[in-house]
Every structure is written in structure tokens, then in C-alpha cells.
Amino acid sequence: MPECLADFLATTLKGQRPTSEAQAQGSCAYGAVRWQWLDEGVLQLEPEYTGGARSETLKSVLLSAGVHGDETAPIELLSQMVADLAAGRLALACRLLVVLGNVAAMRAATRYEDDDLNRLFGGRHARVPQSREAPRAVVLETAAQRFFADAPVLPGARWHLDMHTAIRASAFEQFALLPYTGDAPSRAMFDWLADARIAAVLIHTEKGATYSSFTADACGALACTLELGKVQPFGQNDLARFAPADAAVRRLVSGAQAAEDEPMPRVFTVIGQITKQSDAFALHVAADVPNFTPFARGTVLAEDGTYRYVVAHDEERIVFPNPTVKPGLRAGLLVVDTTAETLASLS
Ligand SMILES: [Zn+2]
């Protein structure tokens, strides 16, 4: 088996590239899988076809990790999954694009070099052409568009799971962020999230600049960002904590049955944000407050001159609070529980 399949992570970190067309593709899993190295950290795997036309119902699945370079555990899981697929230990029942996002930042064991890559999608990279992350955003957008261009447009045929680990603690250790699409969330995605034992889902109400927002918007994918718990350096992750999500990803890829009777996640919808107005900004919550911490109506969460953020619902929960952003930017999101109505409206 070529080294880029046996250890996709290590060869990517070493910057090993195929030196010829013949070295960049081939057959693995005893001839059952066709693989192609497309770019640094970008690998495509497809079931090998023996004469027959490709099934129109075959899913196309994009799995990404390392869009933040120091979020190591999902990167290790993806690399291990590539090795298992290539060795025939895991069946491949979909077209699969595996993406290790910010390879330069992975090498430097840092979140990013110049700019947060997960804020540069949907063309935002063009605003920071000097950024070391800008060309990588272009590569990842192009790879996703090429991959999904060959996929059927049927509902549920295109998937993108972008795997992260959170920086801060969370009232729900593992949660998913669904990009705004204008449509009701999909039952297939919620069934998968339940199968992965994701405890909570945050639904965005505005378009974002994340990778999953891009693939939902530009590629028509069922897409989400997964936050799978806290970060450790390479090799120091307790991968057992990620086992339910890893198992569900492997079931999606291999076409296996989902686990039955897993509870649906709680659902929270964004209803507002705290915006930093100036350097006088004061956030009245602890710097390390866990994500999804609830606050009661009337609580003053932030002040900045005449600006105040006061909780207006019976209960609002804060997500991603960050008072150190530049003035004009978001210093925190507020969400409310919409579990009952969202689960009743899945399409
Ligand atoms: Zn991340």
C-alpha cells in the first residue's frame, strides 16, 4: 500500500508529494477502491466499478479535519480511516473526499498562521490576498466544487462533515453547527447526528464564511461543523471519547445501518449576537465560561459605552464568547432552545 494511504497524516506533514501521475493514483483494498491524490492533504477514494455504470444513488461524502491546524484528534481519526479503507478493513460505499484543511498550521501546531481559515470561505479569502491562508481556502473550495460537480443532485446524496475540537469547555461536550441554508434542517442529517451521539445542534440564521457554510451554499451539501470536545497535541488525544462520532462517520462511509434509538440532539437557534463596539467593551461573563451556559431574562451580558446586551428571552445561552476580537466584530453568539419546533419541522 502506498505510504500516503498507510499514513496520510504523516506523509502530509512531511510534505511528501507524488512525483509522477502514476504515483498519484491507483487501486487499493484488494482492488475494491480507486484512490487519487489530488493535492496536499486532499485525497479522493471511490469504489472501483467493474463495467457497470456508477449508481446514481451513491452518496458523495466530504470529510474534513484540521481546518484549524491544532485540532488534532479528528485529523488522526481521518488518517486512520483512510488506512482502514485502503487495507480493506472498512468497506467504501460512497465517493469520498478526505481533506486535511490547514496543513501549514498543522505542521506549526497552531490554529492558523495569518487568518482563521474557517472565516475565509465563500470568497472571503479575496479580501486578504496576502494571508498565508488565502490560497488554501481557494484550494479547498475548488476541491469541494470539483468533487460535488460529479455527484447526483438527489436529496441526501451530498454530505460534508467538517470535524473540529473546541477551544473551551461546553455544557454539551460534543455539538454540531448547521449553516444557514434557507431550508428546514434535514432529517437525514439529524438522524446521523443522533447516531453520532451529538448532544446539541446550533442552527445559524445567517450565512457564514465557514467551510461547511460554503459546501451547503455552493455545493448543495448536507453540511455541518462538528465540535468534538477539547484539543490535545498529536498523539495525546483520548480517541475513545471520539469513538461514537468516529463510528457514525464510518457507518456513513461504509453504508452500514445506523445505531437505533439514539436520542435526537437538543436544538438551539441563534437569536442574537454581542458586538464589540470599541476598546471600552466589557463582557460580564467569565473569560472561560462554557459554551451554552444559560442566562436568565434581564441579565446584562455586555456593555460598551451606551451599548448594552441584555437577555430578552426567558433564557438565552452564550456560545463562543470572545471579548478579544477587534471592534466591530462578534464577541459572542446567543441562542435559544428550539428543540420541539425544529424536530417537528425536519424535511
Ligand atoms: Zn475548529
Side-chain angles (χ1 to χ4, degrees):
M1 189 194 307
E3 213 185 327
C4 72
L5 300 179
D7 198 335
F8 185 42
L9 172 56
T11 53
T12 301
L13 290 176
K14 278 188 242 165
Q16 286 179 11
R17 292 166 163 270
T19 50
S20 68
E21 197 65 4
Q23 265 191 28
Q25 55 190 304
S27 165
C28 58
Y30 307 105
V33 171
R34 175 115 218 117
W35 65 273
Q36 208 179 349
W37 186 97
L38 296 176
D39 204 321
E40 182 162 76
V42 183
L43 190 65
Q44 186 165 323
L45 299 162
E46 295 185 272
E48 186 83 75
Y49 300 95
T50 48
R54 187 159 78 204
S55 165
E56 276 299 300
T57 57
L58 199 68
K59 285 188 174 92
S60 293
V61 179
L62 166 52
L63 298 176
S64 52
V67 168
H68 293 137
D70 57 356
E71 298 180 355
T72 49
I75 302 172
E76 293 173 301
L77 290 174
L78 266 192
S79 185
Q80 184 59 50
M81 201 183 71
V82 168
D84 288 344
L85 286 165
R89 292 187 293 264
L90 177 68
L92 182 67
C94 66
R95 299 176 64 237
L96 180 64
L97 189 69
V98 177
V99 169
L100 304 184
N102 194 337
V103 175
M106 282 163 50
R107 283 188 197 114
T110 182
R111 186 172 174 84
Y112 54 81
E113 294 190 302
D114 294 329
D115 288 279
D116 186 339
L117 178 58
N118 217 22
R119 303 284 176 275
L120 297 187
F121 289 95
R124 294 329 183 277
H125 48 77
R127 297 180 194 169
V128 286
Q130 306 305 322
S131 172
R132 279 177 284 178
E133 268 76 20
R136 190 60 179 167
V138 175
V139 165
L140 299 193
E141 285 187 353
T142 307
Q145 282 179 307
R146 287 206 181 123
F147 177 66
F148 286 118
D150 288 337
V153 211
L154 298 168
R158 299 164 174 223
W159 287 70
H160 176 204
L161 305 175
D162 185 32
M163 293 183 272
H164 291 247
T165 51
I167 305 171
R168 64 175 56 239
S170 174
F172 304 100
E173 187 187 329
Q174 305 201 330
F175 60 96
L177 309 165
L178 294 192
Y180 172 76
T181 63
D183 297 325
S186 116
R187 177 171 301 281
M189 176 58 85
F190 267 80
D191 285 344
W192 184 84
L193 292 167
D195 186 33
R197 293 195 225 152
I198 300 299
V201 173
L202 179 153
I203 300 181
H204 280 290
T205 47
E206 286 176 11
K207 276 186 192 173
T210 63
Y211 199 16
S212 66
S213 184
F214 173 77
T215 55
D217 198 44
C219 308
L222 296 180
C224 75
T225 304
L226 293 169
E227 296 286 355
L228 299 172
K230 289 202 85 171
V231 180
Q232 305 291 337
F234 280 124
Q236 293 178 31
N237 288 297
D238 174 11
L239 294 180
R241 300 174 75 187
F242 303 90
D246 183 48
V249 169
R250 286 165 176 258
R251 284 192 283 270
L252 180 69
V253 162
S254 64
Q257 280 288 355
E260 279 184 24
D261 298 328
E262 293 296 343
M264 279 289 180
R266 297 264 303 267
V267 188
F268 298 91
T269 299
V270 175
I271 50 92
Q273 72 170 40
I274 295 171
T275 309
K276 180 167 179 173
Q277 315 284 321
S278 75
D279 288 324
F281 180 79
L283 187 65
H284 297 315
V285 302
D288 59 349
V289 67
N291 278 327
F292 295 99
T293 298
F295 294 94
R297 185 194 297 274
T299 310
V300 179
L301 290 178
E303 287 180 277
D304 195 347
T306 55
Y307 170 89
R308 279 154 62 89
Y309 188 94
V310 184
V311 173
H313 296 73
D314 287 345
E315 180 184 274
E316 296 179 13
R317 291 169 182 255
I318 196 163
V319 187
F320 304 131
N322 182 2
T324 67
V325 294
K326 292 176 189 154
L329 295 184
R330 185 182 90 194
L333 275 180
L334 281 307
V335 301
V336 297
D337 190 322
T338 57
T339 305
E341 52 267 51
T342 304
L343 295 181
S345 73
L346 296 178
S347 64

